């Protein structure tokens, strides 16, 4: 695997690898993506294989502008409103798919397509240089911890991908909010940094967050067990004991091993640190023969809803 620098030459080189059906991990503002030319059956097949992702679980198609998105999907009023308000940014919008060169495998043969225009400039320059949409799930093995830093992508995928663009740590740290606008009443399939309240105020009405009923799978990738470390996670633990591995929220208790997601109880900071810290504590747990990781309770307002969604799924065995 080649590590590519984040500069003009590097983006050109990465786009060339994508052109010849290679797979490139690249930064976005949410998490690292595992990119393939969305027009290439060969490249998209590689992505599913590398991730060991079931082919019924569609990929997000990344574009560099709203105009480009409209070539691949039919934007109704809600989708249009959301795209104009939150793009480029951490929001994925599901719309009816238009007939195009995006291979059917990338959208799991559905009649809908998940589109996102990322704000990360490296990601958008890469799409621009390729001059085609990039199909990209998160850069990790299916069901395992998401990677939000180049180091974690390297550690988990070094032997299976062609290249990695080093763009530093992801700014936000959680996967995009996913809103399904292809149905009569739009609903939120995955919570993220753009909160339920923000979506509601943008649309002017209250929409259903379907991710709360996690047993009822609406999105193909919405399995209850997801984002899993090797270690067992025990949630809502506010009184850790000596010898525990503890992921805290607020000041970290003295003489307890572990890390705090945020000293100042800042939910955005906690979101940004969540996966990086879970990778670190997972390694600590393995070194100790599998000690579980205890996690403090996290408030569920704002982006806390998305943090708790990830933790709940990560704790499922
Ligand atoms: P990831 O690939 O890890 O970023 O996850 C993408 C999420 O978007 C998964 O939960 C997918 O199942 C979901 N998704 C992608 N395309 C569609 C679609 N057309 N309809 C419903 N969910 C989708
Ligand atoms: Mg993922």
């Amino acid at each position: 695997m080649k590590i590519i620098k984040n500069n003009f030459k590097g983006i050109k080189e990465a786009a060339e690898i994508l052109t010849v059906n290679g797979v490139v991990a690249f930064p976005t503002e949410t998490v690292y993506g595992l990119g393939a030319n969305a027009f290439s059956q060969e490249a998209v097949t590689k992505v599913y294989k590398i991730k060991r992702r079931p082919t019924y679980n569609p990929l997000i198609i990344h574009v560099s502008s709203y105009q480009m998105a409209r070539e691949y999907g039919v934007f109704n009023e809600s989708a249009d409103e959301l795209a104009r308000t939150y793009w480029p940014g951490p929001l994925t919008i599901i719309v009816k798919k238009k007939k195009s060169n995006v291979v059917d495998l990338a959208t799991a043969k559905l009649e809908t397509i998940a589109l996102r225009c990322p704000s990360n400039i490296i990601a958008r320059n890469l799409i621009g240089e390729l001059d085609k949409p990039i199909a990209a799930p998160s850069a990790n093995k299916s069901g395992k911890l998401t990677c939000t830093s180049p180091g974690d992508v390297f550690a988990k995928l070094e032997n299976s991908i062609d290249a990695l663009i080093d763009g530093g740590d992801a700014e936000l740290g959680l996967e995009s909010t996913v809103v399904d606008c292809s149905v009569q009443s739009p609903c939120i399939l995955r919570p993220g940094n753009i909160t339920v309240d923000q979506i509601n105020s943008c649309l002017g009405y209250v929409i259903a967050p379907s991710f709360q009923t996690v047993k009822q799978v609406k999105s193909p990738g919405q399995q209850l067990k997801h984002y899993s470390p090797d270690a067992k996670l025990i949630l809502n633990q506010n009184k850790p004991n000596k010898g525990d591995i503890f992921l805290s929220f607020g000041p970290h208790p003295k003489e307890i091993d572990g890390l705090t997601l945020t000293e100042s109880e800042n939910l955005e900071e906690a979101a940004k640190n969540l996966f990086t810290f879970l990778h670190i504590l997972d390694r600590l747990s393995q070194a100790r023969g599998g000690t579980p990781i205890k996690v403090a309770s996290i408030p569920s307002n704002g982006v806390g809803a998305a943090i708790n969604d990830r933790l709940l799924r990560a704790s499922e065995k």
Side-chain angles (χ1 to χ4, degrees), residues 13-309:
E13 188 182 358
E16 275 158 25
I17 297 172
L18 291 174
T19 304
V20 295
N21 303 320
V23 172
V24 178
F26 66 99
T28 82
E29 71 278 19
T30 57
V31 306
Y32 269 70
L34 198 58
N37 173 359
F39 291 174
S40 162
Q41 178 78 18
E42 182 185 335
V44 171
T45 302
K46 280 186 195 166
V47 165
Y48 279 97
K49 282 212 172 117
I50 292 167
K51 275 188 72 93
R52 290 195 217 109
R53 179 171 176 124
T55 50
Y56 60 74
N57 188 2
L59 312 178
I60 294 174
I61 309 301
H62 292 73
V63 292
S64 55
S65 66
Y66 180 39
Q67 199 187 354
M68 185 176 181
R70 293 179 72 113
E71 291 176 39
Y72 306 105
V74 183
F75 281 71
N76 57 21
E77 208 181 315
S78 321
D80 181 70
E81 197 65 44
L82 288 169
R84 287 181 195 281
T85 309
Y86 290 114
W87 280 3
L91 178 70
T92 296
I93 305 173
I94 295 172
V95 292
K96 293 248 156 60
K97 190 182 170 185
K98 274 190 183 167
K99 205 170 159 39
S100 75
N101 288 329
V102 171
V103 295
D104 274 346
L105 178 64
T107 53
K109 299 192 174 139
L110 296 173
E111 285 176 3
T112 54
I113 182 166
L115 288 157
R116 182 163 100 84
C117 176
S119 64
N120 181 293
I121 199 68
I122 306 171
R124 268 192 295 143
N125 284 343
L126 184 64
I127 301 162
E129 192 60 39
L130 179 67
D131 202 20
K132 293 185 182 73
I134 295 181
S138 51
N140 54 279
K141 298 277 183 193
S142 198
K144 297 289 184 185
L145 280 179
T146 302
C147 296
T148 55
S149 75
D152 287 332
V153 177
F154 183 86
K156 299 294 175 183
L157 296 172
E158 185 197 351
N159 297 321
S160 46
I161 62 178
D162 297 299
L164 158 66
I165 304 177
D166 180 355
D169 292 345
E171 194 190 323
L172 301 175
L174 293 180
E175 296 82 354
S176 56
T177 305
V178 178
V179 180
D180 188 356
C181 289
S182 72
V183 284
Q184 187 95 42
S185 311
C187 57
I188 297 181
L189 299 182
R190 179 171 73 187
N193 278 76
I194 294 179
T195 63
V196 180
D197 288 347
Q198 284 176 297
I199 302 286
N200 286 342
S201 77
C202 172
L203 293 177
Y205 52 86
V206 176
I207 77 170
S210 85
F211 60 87
Q212 279 174 353
T213 54
V214 279
K215 295 262 183 205
Q216 221 187 346
V217 174
K218 269 212 176 172
S219 181
Q222 246 185 345
Q223 299 95 341
L224 184 52
K225 179 178 185 296
H226 209 124
Y227 317 111
S228 307
D230 291 327
K232 184 176 178 203
L233 280 193
I234 309 174
L235 306 185
N236 301 315
Q237 298 296 302
N238 294 320
K239 289 208 170 95
N241 301 310
K242 227 173 161 186
D244 284 346
I245 299 176
F246 188 49
L247 184 60
S248 55
F249 184 84
H252 195 75
K254 284 197 183 80
E255 295 179 25
I256 302 286
D257 293 333
L259 293 163
T260 178
L261 286 169
T262 165
E263 282 269 344
S264 58
E265 304 194 0
N266 176 316
L267 285 166
E268 277 74 27
E269 186 184 15
K272 179 177 161 67
N273 288 332
L274 179 70
F275 284 115
T276 313
F277 286 7
L278 283 174
H279 277 282
I280 296 171
L281 297 186
D282 203 23
R283 286 192 289 274
L284 179 60
S285 159
Q286 274 173 304
R288 291 200 185 162
T291 309
I293 301 168
K294 290 188 176 175
V295 185
S297 18
I298 315 281
S300 59
N301 57 305
V303 72
I307 298 174
N308 282 313
D309 168 79

